[in-house]
Amino acid sequence: DMSRLNATARVILGLLKFSPRTGYDVKRVTDFSTRFFWRASYGQIYPELRALTVAGLVHVSEEPRGRRQRRVYGLTPKGERALRDWLLATSDVYELRDEGLLRLFFGELLAGEELLSLVRRRREAFEASGAHFRAISASLGEVEGPSAEVLRYGIELMDWNAAWWGELEQRLGSAADSAL
């Protein structure tokens, strides 16, 4: 039952649907793609691969690589059904966890220049993330389809956030100037 599987399991099943992979491959792909909105660490990936194997959603094969065996994971028919059930489910959880926004919420506990520094740092971070996503986009070239739309969403979201924090920075800067 896919509703009982955690987010890491969903990421793994989705990636394995595209092609069989090792745990290392799963981590490498998530580091380049989903980590910006759905992180997965080695400490989550390997136990989850074992659990999915035990549950019969994933099969494992040993492939020689040099002197070492590589464990390659693929979807079973049961895993494909579970993935499809989740893809078609209607529960879309949206959870925003933003430490900078949490600090801003408590910003009145900071001195004016400390608050302004926090806001400037957030603006710069969003600008840097937008530039990073644009570099990813440039390196991929012309890409179409749903994953390209997710990248476009990321670029536009970073731009919006950078603009929002930039406007707040200007308002706080103006307030500080008029207080002098």
Side-chain angles (χ1 to χ4, degrees):
D1 175 18
M2 205 54 201
S3 62
R4 284 193 315 240
L5 294 176
N6 65 40
T8 303
R10 295 170 180 161
V11 170
I12 290 170
L13 291 179
L15 290 177
L16 294 181
K17 176 65 177 163
F18 288 123
S19 71
R21 301 173 197 273
T22 63
Y24 173 80
D25 294 335
V26 168
K27 175 68 170 137
R28 207 184 61 220
V29 172
T30 61
D31 280 352
F32 186 73
S33 59
T34 63
R35 83 174 163 96
F36 299 104
F37 53 94
W38 215 272
R39 289 188 181 278
S41 68
Y42 283 118
Q44 295 168 305
I45 291 169
Y46 285 105
E48 200 54 54
L49 281 167
R50 283 191 292 277
L52 290 169
T53 303
V54 169
L57 282 83
V58 166
H59 62 79
V60 62
S61 57
E62 301 281 345
E63 291 183 4
R65 179 177 213 168
R67 288 194 300 243
R68 290 209 305 236
Q69 290 284 86
R70 255 172 34 122
R71 297 177 67 94
V72 179
Y73 299 87
L75 284 188
T76 64
K78 182 179 175 185
E80 292 202 20
R81 282 192 305 276
L83 174 62
R84 183 156 174 79
D85 288 348
W86 170 70
L87 286 170
L88 295 174
T90 56
S91 62
D92 294 321
V93 175
Y94 179 77
E95 180 182 306
L96 178 64
R97 293 174 66 96
D98 182 330
E99 196 171 5
L101 212 47
L102 186 59
R103 284 193 180 107
L104 179 60
F105 182 81
F106 294 112
E108 63 199 63
L109 305 175
L110 297 173
E113 191 49 49
E114 292 169 327
L115 180 59
L116 192 56
S117 176
L118 161 71
V119 170
R120 184 178 306 115
R121 212 171 49 245
R122 295 305 295 153
R123 174 188 49 78
E124 290 169 351
F126 283 114
E127 288 171 350
S129 293
H132 181 72
F133 291 167
R134 281 187 175 79
I136 290 173
S137 182
S139 74
L140 293 174
E142 286 297 315
V143 179
E144 292 181 18
S147 60
E149 294 301 330
V150 171
L151 180 56
R152 196 170 68 107
Y153 171 87
I155 291 168
E156 292 178 16
L157 183 61
M158 293 307 106
D159 288 350
W160 182 89
N161 272 291
W164 188 90
W165 286 93
E167 290 164 14
L168 177 57
E169 184 181 3
Q170 287 180 333
R171 287 195 303 275
L172 292 173
S174 297
D177 291 344
S178 64
L180 295 176

